[in-house]
Amino acid sequence: KRQHRGWAVAGTLLLQAALAAAGCGEHRRADELTDRAAGVAASLRGYDDQHRTSFGPVAVEMARVLLAAQRGDADAALIRHSTIVRREAWRRLPAEHRGAYLLDAARAYLHAGDLRGAARAVVDADSVAPAEVRWRPLARTLIAVVARAQPASAGVARLATLVGLTR
């Protein structure tokens, strides 16, 4: 168990490196790093996250969603996303992690042309972690985009008003 303590941190760093590699267009390297993180996550079953990294199999799957979306494969990202949010491990993640992730999922919905899905993800993010949605510039941009859709859902219209996009 003591040996595993540093592994959660190492796994988290592998995922961060994978996302950075994808941001530089190095998608093969991002996949390699994510696969390594998946191996670390598999070895941590039942491990108590003493460093509060929230690292584990669900974090790896969330990174795979972000990588697929960044690669332009919104459909694959959204298929993975729909399975993640139904898992028990998803509900155990800190609210801030879930809220930030849902904003990223909203972007994937937008890339897929699914305004209704994007709106639902933004509203869900607000219900999970209001501060993530109401204060992050990315969230304000997403709210503005989905609020322009006709007709905007009541939840999106409420958010647009709360963040000062409408009066």
Side-chain angles (χ1 to χ4, degrees), residues 69 94 143 150:
I143 293 166
Q150 297 299 323

Side-chain angles (χ1 to χ4, degrees), residues 69-142:
Q70 196 167 28
R71 199 177 266 130
D73 193 354
D75 292 333
L78 294 175
I79 289 168
R80 282 186 183 273
H81 166 71
S82 68
T83 62
I84 289 171
V85 296
R86 290 191 305 257
R87 293 174 64 185
E88 177 62 32
W90 161 257
R91 290 182 283 284
R92 288 193 309 255
L93 289 173
E96 298 80 20
H97 289 219
R98 287 180 289 144
Y101 168 79
L102 286 167
L103 293 175
D104 290 326
R107 282 196 306 193
Y109 278 111
L110 285 176
H111 287 297
D114 183 351
L115 283 170
R116 183 172 281 158
R120 192 173 45 250
V122 169
V123 171
D124 288 349
D126 184 65
S127 71
V128 169
E132 284 293 316
V133 175
R134 297 177 191 180
W135 300 107
R136 287 184 68 199
L138 167 65
R140 295 173 65 81
T141 300
L142 291 168

